[in-house]
Amino acid sequence: MTGAPPIVEMTGISISFPGVKALDAVDFRLFPGEVHTLMGENGAGKSTLIKALTGVYKIDEGRILVAGEERHFGGTADAQAAGIATVYQEVNLCANLSIGENVMLGHEVRGPFGINWKATHRAAAEVLATLGLEQLDLRRPLDTLSLAIQQLVAISRAMVTRPKVLILDEPTSSLDANEVANLFTVIRRLRDQGVAILFVTHFLDQVYAISDRITVLRNGGFVGEYPTRELDRTTLISKMIGKDFATLRSLGSERQSHHYEPRGEPLLRTEDLGRKGSSEPTDLELHKGEVLGLAGLLGSGRTELARLLYGADKPDSGTVWLRGKKTDIHSPTAALAHRIAFSSENRRDEGVIRDLTVRENLVLAVQAKRGWFRPLSRKEQDALVRKYLTELNVRPADPERPIKLLSGGNQQKVLLGRWLATEPDLLILDEPTRGIDVGAKAEIQAAVAALAAKGVAVVFISSELEEVVRLSDRIIVMKDHRKLAELENGPHVTAETIVAVIADEGDDEEGDSE
Amino acid sequence: MTDVASRLAAKRGAIVRNQAFWGVVAIVLLLAINVISDPGYLSIGYNSETGHLSGNLIDILRASAPILMIAVGMCLVVATGGIDLSVGSIMVVAGAVSMELLSSMDGTTGDAVLTLAVALGIATALGAVNGVLVSVVGLQPFISTLVMMLAGRGIAKVITGGQNTTADNDSFAWLANGYIVGVPVVFLLAIVIVVLVALLVRRSALGLMLEAIGMDSRASRLAGVKRRNLQLTVYSASGLLAGIAGVFATASVMTVDVSRTGYQLELDAILAVVIGGTSLAGGKFSIGGAVIGGLLIATLDKTVVFLGIPASATPAFKAIVIVVLCLLQSERVRSLFRHRRALRAQSQKEAVAA
Amino acid sequence: MTVTTRPPTGSAPGPAPSRRSLADRLGARLSALPTVAALLIFVGMIIYGEAAYGRIVQFSTLSNLLVNNSHLIILAVGLTFVILTGGIDLSVGAVIAFSSVAGVMLANAGWHPAAAVLVMVLIGSALGLVSGVLIQYFGVQPFIATLATMFLARGLASMLSTVPERLADDSSIRELATQLKIIDGDKVNDLVITPGVVAAVVIVVLGFLVLHRTRFGRTVYAIGGSEQSATLMGLPVPATKLGIYVISGTLAGIAAVVYTSRLGSAQNITGIGWELDAIAAVVIGGTLLTGGTGFVLGSVVGALVLGLMNVLITRDGGIRPEMTTIITGGILLVFVILQRVLAARRRAEQQG
């Protein structure tokens, strides 16, 4: 492998955006027949490097060689012509078209009378078969498929051109374990066929399961390139972040010993709360000062349940008692009025409003709660903003900066500030730490712990089971849109406990495992 | 020293990037053209007998009043990411209602007040129908207001029986033709209304809410912003303002022309909003910009007539204004200018070095 | 409490039934339902017209419907392309005015008719190109860019002439409207077509083929689905977007030829509001204004619905002419609400 010349060689790549140097003299090599992982925190420059290689961004400095030939990409089409195919984190397909049409878009088989649909569908079926997806119906419209399957369709589409280089930019972030295993089988097969694969992920297990070589970036700079077997996890993490790791460890142990004993009337109680097709009728109880973890894989129904609690989706069955009173929470507005706040997992589309400033984003929910005719004075706004920017350590602490210019972690902190500013009694956090760097993650976890200590009830949802275990007093395990079990947290509970519950489904439906 | 210079440069950059600035430049240019063709163009006469000011500028102000009304309403609608194609038709409905009512009354001030209330009430109701179609039924603003645009003109024709109704009422006519301290009432009213709307929007949190909806309706819903109420409010407001515009437009001649009153004025209003730097995609909006846009359109209309060009050719000049302003806004053209400036700076440096 | 364990819809790539389920097939068809509904309503209108007024289902009425609306059909085909990408073209009515006034004046000035016709079509293409360049290369929103083109075309037409320009009686451009008898019925009840109708039919067929049988057409749908995705997929988005505005402009030019040859004259106020008729036809035919879904054939039905409505109103005689626009608006409203209901039903089906 080391003998063969690299298929891609990028040297001294620099890219600047107004005010930021996104990439600074980064080197990157990719060999045929290897899986190469690009690692780094958010904002490290991974996406930028990939976009440079796929022709989305123009490079300011440096050279890109593909198969030994210097290339200047003017757009994605140029990169594709050079044999580089990409699958992005967000599925970039057309929801209005069918699976087959999406796979073959731009590569349709043409005959004397235009596109030959029969042959085109045949070709699409062949590609799907190589990925083990032959059971998919080519004529099914894409918008009727789950995100996970859409992602697999996107990968199929990338393989249509038989690329020499396949870039997978966090393709696993929405796949469950089964689907990841499926995907890895395909990746290995492609690697053995000599395809060079560039793989980006946040999941360390996956890195060690699949990759041959790792390149680490930090703050737009090049840290190093290492064979995977020569780099253990701790070293890798310290290369990526350095210091914040210890902070995270200490927080975990402190919280787990916290043990909360619920007393008196629950703040919130639901009976048979559900919605057809998204959430089976569910009972739950939540006390003041308690952190309730919702654990389960993506698609287990945890997000759907959270949305019902907030009125983001309307429940069609069940009853909610809030502070002992029967309450109808039919809209976010109503929820906020009842001092319930909800931070969506979808930060980009349902969280920040990109073109508004940090200040405007932060005061939005409070202002909406008061109604537009009772505006917060500038002084009140400034006080709120100053308070939360300091408390949550938002960087840069410039209230007038458009929020889109902040890193993901800092956007998430501003959002947390938005909900805290409404002074909620119940705060629902759906994946508040996904896709943000470890430093911000630790700060958000600390903020959650502090809130619970102040008496706020928190519903905490995360794909990282360790995180759920670390923070929660009680954990509800979910699968297939229903509650599987409820666990009292304690020293004996670990991520493995939850995995065992999920794997062992159906044996004890409601029992508290003690 | 260099700090001050760079700050000044930054400020200049901000002004030049501000599209409303180019609107002002365009107005000045048009006035300059008029002055060249007639040096006395800008002179304002004073009639000592009536105490009225007169002159071309006064005419422009008077003509701009209806456009200002619908442009301000449109601006609010556009901020939410919507569009209101029906303002011209609502104008004619308000005009038709006014003229029909007045023609059957005696001509007292009380009649005028009653008529005004009914006409504006109906206009607001039509706007509210748009609002319901958009916010409750969930239709696209373009289609909802297109329906109202088609139906509105029909409704006006039904109200007048297809006639161009004429009426007499001095109080009503005063709204459009009267003067207060020499200035046309209609322009004063328009300015007062614009200022009231601007204060309401910017002093309350309405502006922030509208922008939030226009930028990201899902995120703002989860933040508790009441999209339905706000949309209902802005479409109703747009209807009300269009009604006022319709009263202004018909009161000046005390006749409603069912096929021409307000005809295609929705396009002028949209144009005014865009000239003022508000994007049709929604989000950040500028009422001041919309006012400048409205004034520019009124100036352009009057200039074309003043220069003796057939009025039907006016659209071509509007096209030129749109294209030029849009090109000035365009990233591509901007970067071209930046590039040339950089080259010039470089060649100057080289010249100094040599 | 009964807990039904049902496989999560499409969340795992596990074995799926090889035959498509009923819901799937319904889902695939639902996007065509508004078009089918438009067709049904068209047929319904014919039946109602025949029952209420008579003399609707006969050769002369039906062929007149086609002859009188061929220009609108042509416009609607062009608008379908534009709207499928999520754009809009407000300029087509004004383009017709400029193109036909210019064409008639050139023909009367002694130009060869073929040359005049060619210029008429090319004027459309050129104005479409202007819109396309503004949109694609200068980032102007389609609404504003085509509004500019609309104003430009209308203004230019008015500069050429503000009075009706009559085509010379012996001009061979008029021959493009010659009525060719296909079936000679009794009295005046003949099935006739004109070269204009033939042009419209050819354009509809070509439009259908381009949209469904070429990569250009697939790119049009892809852009309507998600322009960003289409770009990242490496599809030729800029060229396609430019192309659809040129197509729309060109078809407006052809519509100008068809209309002018039939009317024999042209005026600067010709075609005011026709862009709205064409948009209404496209929407009634089931194409979503947000882009991505729709059919050329639907737009044809939409245009015919509007045309037939006018015929019925004339036949009725009791409906006052000022009601026409109210009825048009009402029909449009009914159709979009129908589409809205279908879309909601479809979403519910996906979740359930």
Side-chain angles (χ1 to χ4, degrees):
Chain A
M1 187 173 75
T2 38
I7 179 87
V8 172
E9 192 165 11
M10 303 172 83
T11 42
I13 306 292
S14 296
I15 293 183
S16 297
F17 299 119
V20 210
K21 189 131 195 180
L23 281 183
D24 190 4
V26 170
D27 297 338
F28 177 76
R29 301 185 300 161
L30 187 60
F31 291 90
E34 73 163 350
V35 177
H36 190 140
T37 313
L38 195 55
M39 296 292 296
E41 293 291 283
N42 272 60
K46 291 171 306 196
S47 302
T48 316
L49 185 69
I50 286 173
K51 285 184 172 152
L53 182 55
T54 53
V56 177
Y57 292 154
K58 285 212 172 62
I59 54 174
D60 297 339
E61 278 166 49
R63 303 204 308 157
I64 301 178
L65 301 183
V66 178
E69 223 177 289
E70 178 154 11
R71 301 280 189 156
H72 302 276
F73 296 144
T76 45
D78 291 353
Q80 286 186 7
I84 299 174
T86 318
V87 175
Y88 294 93
Q89 177 180 11
E90 275 100 24
V91 176
N92 280 294
L93 295 174
C94 294
N96 57 325
L97 301 178
S98 72
I99 294 178
E101 286 171 325
N102 268 294
V103 169
M104 298 303 290
L105 256 181
H107 311 290
E108 293 92 346
V109 182
R110 286 181 288 194
F113 307 106
I115 295 171
N116 179 343
W117 281 109
K118 236 184 197 155
T120 302
H121 277 120
R122 220 169 23 237
E126 278 169 28
V127 177
L128 288 179
T130 61
L131 276 97
L133 300 168
E134 49 277 86
Q135 77 279 11
L136 287 182
D137 180 356
L138 288 172
R139 283 178 180 77
R140 195 163 160 170
L142 197 79
D143 59 2
T144 61
L145 301 174
S146 71
L147 214 61
I149 294 197
Q150 292 189 19
Q151 187 66 273
L152 293 173
V153 172
I155 294 172
S156 314
R157 173 184 165 71
M159 296 315 299
V160 168
T161 51
R162 311 200 178 282
K164 286 177 284 190
V165 176
L166 176 63
I167 301 173
L168 300 171
D169 186 0
E170 296 199 41
T172 55
S173 56
S174 57
L175 304 193
D176 69 23
N178 230 341
E179 291 159 340
V180 169
N182 244 352
L183 174 64
F184 280 7
T185 316
V186 176
I187 292 180
R188 290 199 188 95
R189 196 183 305 168
L190 293 172
R191 177 190 64 190
D192 295 343
Q193 291 166 8
V195 178
I197 293 159
L198 168 55
F199 185 65
V200 182
T201 183
H202 270 108
F203 301 101
L204 285 183
D205 289 343
Q206 296 180 0
V207 175
Y208 284 93
I210 192 85
S211 75
D212 303 306
R213 191 190 295 267
I214 299 172
T215 290
V216 179
L217 302 180
R218 190 167 65 218
N219 289 332
F222 177 74
V223 176
E225 183 199 282
Y226 316 91
T228 308
R229 56 183 142 58
E230 291 171 20
L231 190 69
D232 65 56
R233 288 178 189 224
T234 325
T235 324
L236 172 57
I237 294 173
S238 65
K239 296 246 185 249
M240 284 162 60
I241 47 155
K243 52 188 183 341
D244 297 314
F245 197 51
T247 330
L248 207 60
R249 280 262 158 86
S250 65
L251 179 75
S253 47
E254 175 197 318
R255 180 73 195 154
Q256 210 163 31
S257 60
H258 155 249
H259 261 310
Y260 182 83
E261 286 301 323
R263 278 181 307 273
E265 180 142 43
L267 175 71
L268 178 103
R269 186 160 70 86
T270 73
E271 207 175 282
D272 287 348
L273 183 71
R275 177 182 160 93
K276 202 170 150 278
S278 73
S279 198
E280 299 287 338
T282 306
D283 300 348
L284 59 83
E285 274 187 12
L286 189 58
H287 288 83
K288 279 186 69 178
E290 183 184 35
V291 179
L292 175 69
L294 290 189
L297 301 174
L298 203 106
S300 60
R302 43 179 213 213
T303 295
E304 289 78 356
L305 181 59
R307 292 178 70 90
L308 289 187
L309 290 177
Y310 186 60
D313 296 326
K314 264 185 215 158
D316 54 17
S317 74
T319 326
V320 176
W321 284 269
L322 194 66
R323 298 179 196 89
K325 269 208 308 232
K326 211 171 141 180
T327 313
D328 180 24
I329 301 169
H330 51 84
S331 70
T333 311
L336 281 170
H338 287 113
R339 302 181 89 105
I340 300 176
F342 167 69
S343 174
S344 164
E345 60 168 344
N346 188 345
R347 184 171 66 229
R348 199 179 63 159
D349 297 331
E350 294 190 335
V352 297
I353 297 182
R354 294 171 50 78
D355 290 323
L356 290 181
T357 63
V358 168
R359 176 175 58 81
E360 289 166 326
N361 264 290
L362 207 145
V363 301
L364 187 62
V366 188
Q367 188 58 68
K369 199 175 156 186
R370 290 168 64 109
W372 60 264
F373 39 86
R374 281 178 54 222
L376 289 165
S377 74
R378 190 54 187 253
K379 230 167 128 185
E380 289 167 295
Q381 291 188 25
D382 284 341
L384 272 182
V385 170
R386 215 175 310 117
K387 176 169 177 226
Y388 288 106
L389 292 193
T390 325
E391 223 166 74
L392 299 167
N393 191 26
V394 176
R395 293 291 155 94
D398 173 7
E400 300 312 319
R401 182 180 273 253
I403 197 161
K404 62 184 170 191
L405 299 181
L406 268 59
S407 73
N410 282 304
Q411 290 183 9
Q412 192 68 53
K413 289 190 220 165
V414 174
L415 280 183
L416 190 57
R418 176 197 285 173
W419 305 120
L420 293 184
T422 65
E423 297 174 353
D425 288 340
L426 167 57
L427 179 60
I428 306 165
L429 297 171
D430 193 358
E431 295 271 23
T433 61
R434 178 163 71 193
I436 67 176
D437 58 72
V438 173
K441 203 178 232 174
E443 283 170 327
I444 286 176
Q445 293 180 3
V448 170
L451 276 174
K454 269 195 265 174
V456 176
V458 179
V459 173
F460 188 84
I461 303 176
S462 173
S463 289
E464 283 186 45
L465 298 179
E466 282 87 1
E467 193 180 42
V468 177
V469 171
R470 208 180 293 138
L471 279 171
S472 310
D473 297 298
R474 218 153 28 95
I475 299 167
I476 288 182
V477 185
M478 300 195 65
K479 186 173 181 178
D480 292 347
H481 303 267
R482 66 197 171 90
K483 178 165 137 184
L484 213 57
E486 202 170 309
L487 312 172
E488 285 298 330
N489 202 356
H492 59 285
V493 176
T494 63
E496 281 73 37
T497 323
I498 297 173
V499 172
V501 171
I502 296 174
D504 196 29
E505 70 169 302
D507 283 358
D508 53 3
E509 288 260 85
E510 287 277 13
D512 284 7
S513 75
E514 242 342 289
Chain B
M1 164 73 199
T2 46
D3 186 43
V4 172
S6 71
R7 233 183 310 159
L8 275 179
K11 201 161 222 174
R12 193 185 60 190
I15 290 174
V16 171
R17 260 194 301 281
N18 184 345
Q19 193 153 354
F21 165 78
W22 293 106
V24 174
V25 170
I27 293 176
V28 171
L29 272 179
L30 284 174
L31 293 179
I33 290 171
N34 288 333
V35 170
I36 290 167
S37 90
D38 173 7
Y41 185 83
L42 292 180
S43 69
I44 291 174
Y46 179 73
N47 185 331
S48 54
E49 220 165 275
T50 56
H52 299 173
L53 297 176
S54 63
N56 294 309
L57 284 184
I58 301 295
D59 285 347
I60 290 175
L61 293 185
R62 197 203 301 270
S64 67
I67 300 177
L68 290 187
M69 293 296 91
I70 52 175
V72 167
M74 187 70 74
C75 188
L76 299 180
V77 171
V78 167
T80 65
I83 197 158
D84 189 350
L85 298 178
S86 69
V87 289
S89 292
I90 292 183
M91 277 178 73
V92 74
V93 172
V97 169
S98 309
M99 292 305 123
E100 276 299 312
L101 280 178
L102 289 178
S103 65
S104 63
M105 289 176 171
D106 303 331
T108 63
T109 305
D111 292 346
V113 171
L114 181 67
T115 301
L116 197 61
V118 173
L120 297 188
I122 289 178
T124 311
L126 291 181
V129 171
N130 283 331
V132 168
L133 288 179
V134 171
S135 70
V136 181
V137 183
L139 297 182
Q140 286 169 17
F142 187 96
I143 287 290
S144 311
T145 57
L146 177 60
V147 167
M148 185 56 74
M149 171 189 178
L150 293 171
R153 199 157 290 276
I155 292 171
K157 286 178 182 169
V158 169
I159 289 172
T160 66
Q163 305 299 307
N164 293 341
T165 307
T166 304
D168 262 327
N169 185 307
D170 291 340
S171 310
F172 202 79
W174 177 82
L175 284 176
N177 300 333
Y179 288 83
I180 293 177
V181 290
V183 185
V185 172
V186 67
F187 182 71
L188 285 178
L189 276 177
I191 287 299
V192 166
I193 293 170
V194 168
V195 169
L196 281 180
V197 171
L199 279 179
L200 179 72
V201 167
R202 290 301 179 191
R203 281 299 164 90
S204 75
L206 187 59
L208 174 64
M209 299 286 144
L210 296 182
E211 287 179 351
I213 294 177
M215 288 168 181
D216 190 336
S217 112
R218 275 167 76 192
S220 48
R221 174 173 172 263
L222 284 187
V225 177
K226 298 175 192 127
R227 183 180 56 87
R228 283 187 183 180
N229 293 357
L230 289 166
Q231 277 178 334
L232 202 56
T233 310
V234 289
Y235 283 95
S236 306
S238 178
L240 171 62
L241 288 164
I244 298 174
V247 167
F248 285 170
T250 44
S252 62
V253 283
M254 288 309 280
T255 303
V256 59
D257 181 336
V258 283
S259 44
R260 308 229 357 228
T261 299
Y263 193 64
Q264 293 207 335
L265 275 194
E266 61 279 352
L267 299 181
D268 280 351
I270 292 165
L271 214 53
V273 169
V274 172
I275 289 172
T278 304
S279 161
L280 279 190
K284 287 265 175 259
F285 66 95
S286 159
I287 288 183
V291 168
I292 289 172
L295 288 173
L296 172 56
I297 288 169
T299 313
L300 184 67
D301 283 342
K302 289 283 176 194
T303 301
V304 169
V305 174
F306 182 74
L307 295 180
I309 301 165
S312 56
T314 316
F317 298 94
K318 284 185 187 161
I320 293 169
V321 171
I322 311 172
V323 170
V324 170
L325 287 177
C326 285
L327 291 190
L328 283 170
Q329 259 326 74
S330 153
E331 238 352 272
R332 195 173 281 257
V333 175
R334 286 249 182 81
S335 64
L336 201 71
F337 276 126
R338 267 202 297 277
H339 187 63
R340 280 183 51 186
R341 253 207 308 276
L343 278 183
R344 211 167 44 223
Q346 202 177 0
S347 62
Q348 273 171 358
K349 237 181 260 169
E350 277 161 12
V352 172
Chain C
M1 189 184 83
T2 53
V3 178
T4 46
T5 43
R6 140 188 90 60
T9 9
S11 69
S18 56
R19 270 190 56 234
R20 283 192 289 159
S21 69
L22 185 68
D24 287 353
R25 271 184 287 174
L26 210 62
R29 273 190 209 162
L30 271 169
S31 69
L33 248 174
T35 309
V36 175
L39 197 60
L40 285 179
I41 291 189
F42 179 64
V43 173
M45 282 169 76
I46 289 187
I47 294 170
Y48 171 77
E50 181 64 31
Y53 315 118
R55 292 186 296 109
I56 297 289
V57 189
Q58 62 173 9
F59 290 144
S60 60
T61 310
L62 294 180
S63 44
N64 273 334
L65 187 62
L66 277 179
V67 170
N68 293 337
N69 291 293
S70 44
H71 64 281
L72 183 60
I73 291 174
I74 295 173
L75 286 184
V77 171
L79 252 307
T80 310
F81 276 83
V82 176
I83 292 176
L84 274 176
T85 65
I88 194 102
D89 189 350
L90 301 177
S91 69
V92 291
V95 167
I96 287 184
F98 178 44
S99 167
S100 50
V101 170
V104 171
M105 289 175 85
L106 287 177
N108 288 350
W111 277 47
H112 189 281
V117 165
L118 186 65
V119 168
M120 288 172 80
V121 176
L122 289 181
I123 283 175
S125 315
L127 288 167
L129 186 66
V130 170
S131 303
V133 168
L134 283 175
I135 291 163
Q136 185 55 42
Y137 294 102
F138 294 101
V140 183
Q141 286 155 330
F143 190 99
I144 296 297
T146 58
L147 183 62
T149 318
M150 166 186 171
F151 279 152
L152 182 67
R154 187 69 65 194
L156 289 175
S158 304
M159 284 180 188
L160 286 181
S161 159
T162 51
V163 294
E165 294 289 328
R166 215 178 121 69
L167 202 55
D169 286 332
D170 57 350
S171 170
S172 50
I173 294 179
R174 283 176 182 272
E175 286 169 18
L176 289 173
T178 319
Q179 303 209 335
L180 312 163
K181 271 184 202 165
I182 303 293
I183 298 174
D184 196 353
D186 49 322
K187 292 182 195 163
V188 291
N189 187 15
D190 306 330
L191 182 66
V192 296
I193 57 166
T194 60
V197 173
V198 175
V201 171
V202 168
I203 285 167
V204 168
V205 171
L206 280 180
F208 177 83
L209 288 178
V210 167
L211 279 178
H212 296 279
R213 289 247 160 194
T214 67
R215 288 189 182 171
F216 176 86
R218 301 324 293 167
T219 307
V220 168
Y221 277 94
I223 293 174
S226 162
E227 186 168 341
Q228 191 199 354
S229 293
T231 306
L232 287 172
M233 285 178 177
L235 300 177
V237 172
T240 307
K241 275 176 74 182
L242 202 59
I244 53 138
Y245 287 97
V246 173
I247 287 176
S248 174
T250 308
L251 291 184
I254 295 175
V257 174
V258 169
Y259 183 76
T260 310
S261 64
R262 181 156 64 80
L263 203 69
S265 71
Q267 201 181 348
N268 65 329
I269 54 167
T270 303
I272 286 184
W274 286 6
E275 59 278 352
L276 299 179
D277 289 342
I279 292 169
V282 172
V283 170
I284 289 175
T287 300
L288 291 184
L289 270 187
T290 42
T293 334
F295 308 94
V296 163
L297 294 176
S299 306
V300 175
V301 176
L304 291 177
V305 165
L306 289 178
L308 184 59
M309 187 194 74
N310 281 325
V311 172
L312 293 185
I313 288 174
T314 321
R315 282 288 178 82
D316 185 275
I319 300 174
R320 284 147 65 192
E322 52 262 30
M323 292 293 288
T324 316
T325 55
I326 300 182
I327 295 173
T328 314
I331 288 190
L332 191 58
L333 186 63
V334 167
F335 271 91
V336 289
I337 289 181
L338 181 73
Q339 288 174 12
R340 175 87 199 148
V341 170
L342 288 176
R345 173 110 55 89
R346 187 169 180 203
R347 258 202 309 281
E349 216 128 274
Q350 273 167 39
Q351 284 178 357

